């Protein structure tokens, strides 16, 4: 089965469980991405919790422990698994990319020109602003929070938010949000440096077609393609498996990483 189908099912299931929990009394998953309960266990967005703590809010043990559980889970599983498998903004970013490809352009659309490191600067700014001004800076304007709340609380703002993201990604900055701007994605890239499941490249099977590099939203991580057997060691990979889906030569797969080749 194509990995993209598994990812879509995962995204859809999580968002549906939130809607069922928040509106229809199905008490499996309640709340939203910032703070939730899964079978009664408290979970919280670790990046939001860090901002709130820096801003001087006093948080309960449930929030801190919930953030710790989420951070450990994403740190261990696969790099930026939240981005590739959970966050609905990434779904829209991929939709925009696919629409552009369908209408003939996979070139990066750049009205803005930002380095991929911009997200790390924004992450640092978010933390510094939170500490100085006493509010959770990124959490207050987060495209992820706005979109997720509009979905799981069935708000009318959903259509406007989706339209803004699609217009930005199609006409202003292709793959701008997830690959350049989002500090939450940067946060997950940092904490998943030692995550276990990685893309592995089989050099012997590779026919150097480079299809993987075309579809990869973070193709700087595919430096080993057509050069050597290796794992994707850069944790900016979002573990989306798009490279595996397009590879006809069985040269790419998910595997447990070996730290030394
Ligand atoms: S980079 Fe940000 S918006 Fe994109 S998928 Fe990750 S968390 Fe969501
Ligand atoms: S290397 Fe593969 S799994 Fe990682 S971001 Fe690129 S396409 Fe997705």
């Amino acid at each position: 089965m194509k990995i993209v189908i598994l990812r879509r099912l995962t995204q859809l299931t999580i968002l549906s469980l939130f809607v069922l929990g928040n509106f229809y009394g199905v008490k499996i998953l309640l709340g939203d991405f910032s703070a939730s309960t899964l079978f009664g266990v408290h979970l919280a967005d670790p990046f939001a919790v860090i901002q709130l703590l820096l801003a001087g809010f006093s948080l309960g043990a449930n929030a801190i422990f919930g953030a710790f559980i989420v951070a450990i889970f994403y740190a261990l599983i696969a790099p930026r698994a939240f981005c590739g498998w959970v966050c609905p903004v990434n779904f829209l970013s991929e939709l925009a990319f696919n629409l552009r490809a369908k209408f003939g352009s996979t070139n990066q659309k750049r009205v803005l020109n930002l380095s991929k490191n911009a997200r790390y600067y924004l992450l640092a700014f978010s933390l510094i602003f939170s500490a100085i001004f006493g509010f959770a800076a990124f959490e207050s304007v987060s495209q992820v929070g706005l979109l997720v709340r509009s979905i799981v609380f069935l708000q009318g703002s959903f259509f406007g938010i989706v339209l803004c993201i699609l217009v930005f990604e199609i006409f202003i900055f292709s793959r701008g949000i997830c690959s350049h701007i989002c500090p939450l994605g940067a946060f997950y890239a940092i904490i998943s440096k030692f995550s276990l499941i990685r893309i592995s490249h089989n050099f012997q099977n590779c026919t150097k077609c480079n299809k993987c590099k075309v579809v990869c939203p973070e193709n700087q991580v595919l430096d080993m393609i057509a050069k050597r057997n290796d794992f994707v060691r850069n944790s900016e990979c979002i573990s989306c498996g798009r490279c595996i889906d397009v590879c006809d030569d069985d040269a790419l797969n998910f595997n447990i990483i070996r730290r030394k080749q």
Side-chain angles (χ1 to χ4, degrees):
M1 185 192 285
K2 291 268 189 196
I3 292 164
V4 66
I5 296 173
L6 292 176
R7 289 195 300 126
R8 296 292 173 253
L9 284 174
T10 307
Q11 287 165 325
L12 196 63
T13 303
I14 292 171
L15 292 171
S16 303
L17 284 175
F18 273 124
V19 174
L20 290 172
N22 292 340
F23 287 96
Y24 299 102
V26 181
K27 296 193 186 315
I28 298 173
L29 190 57
L30 302 170
D32 62 16
F33 282 9
S34 301
S36 57
T37 58
L38 175 64
F39 293 112
V41 176
H42 290 270
L43 301 174
D45 171 353
F47 186 47
V49 164
I50 292 172
Q51 291 169 71
L52 287 166
L53 289 174
L54 285 172
F57 288 85
S58 87
L59 300 178
N62 279 341
I64 293 173
F65 190 61
F68 186 70
I69 294 173
V70 172
I72 292 291
F73 175 77
Y74 283 119
L76 288 182
I77 186 165
R80 292 179 67 191
F82 173 81
C83 299
W85 290 73
V86 179
C87 182
V89 176
N90 191 258
F91 166 77
L92 294 177
S93 172
E94 286 182 21
L95 176 64
F97 178 84
N98 291 340
L99 285 173
R100 283 175 52 77
K102 197 173 175 63
F103 291 104
S105 173
T106 51
N107 295 331
Q108 297 272 303
K109 178 80 179 174
R110 294 275 170 84
V111 172
L112 284 173
N113 200 3
L114 284 177
S115 132
K116 289 201 172 209
N117 287 334
R119 51 192 159 182
Y120 297 105
Y121 296 121
L122 286 168
L123 185 155
F125 280 134
S126 303
L127 298 179
I128 293 167
F129 269 52
S130 300
I132 294 177
F133 296 109
F135 69 99
F138 175 65
E139 192 57 16
S140 311
V141 296
S142 159
Q143 76 286 355
V144 183
L146 289 173
L147 179 61
V148 169
R149 281 192 291 277
S150 78
I151 297 170
V152 304
F153 297 118
L154 305 177
Q155 295 168 343
S157 57
F158 169 77
F159 299 100
I161 296 166
V162 168
L163 189 65
C164 288
I165 292 173
L166 286 178
V167 166
F168 182 81
E169 289 277 322
I170 294 174
F171 298 108
I172 299 176
F173 197 172
S174 176
R175 290 175 163 166
I177 297 175
C178 301
S179 299
H180 296 78
I181 295 171
C182 178
L184 185 54
F187 173 81
Y188 280 119
I190 291 171
I191 68 166
S192 48
K193 289 232 177 279
F194 299 101
S195 58
L196 300 173
I197 301 173
R198 301 295 179 111
I199 300 290
S200 64
H201 173 53
N202 183 324
F203 170 69
Q204 284 75 22
N205 287 1
C206 176
T207 53
K208 306 177 180 58
C209 67
N210 272 335
K211 284 186 202 163
C212 52
K213 290 191 173 178
V214 173
V215 298
C216 177
E218 300 281 356
N219 57 18
Q220 74 280 6
V221 310
L222 289 173
D223 57 311
M224 81 297 294
I225 296 296
K227 292 184 189 146
R228 62 185 186 275
N229 289 326
D230 204 350
F231 293 87
V232 168
R233 294 179 186 277
N234 186 324
S235 58
E236 287 173 350
C237 165
I238 65 167
S239 303
C240 61
R242 283 174 68 108
C243 51
I244 300 174
D245 279 348
V246 297
C247 180
D248 300 321
D249 307 307
D250 198 26
L252 293 162
N253 273 300
F254 280 121
N255 265 311
I256 304 288
I257 192 169
R258 284 191 303 277
R259 294 289 162 195
K260 288 185 183 160
Q261 280 298 90

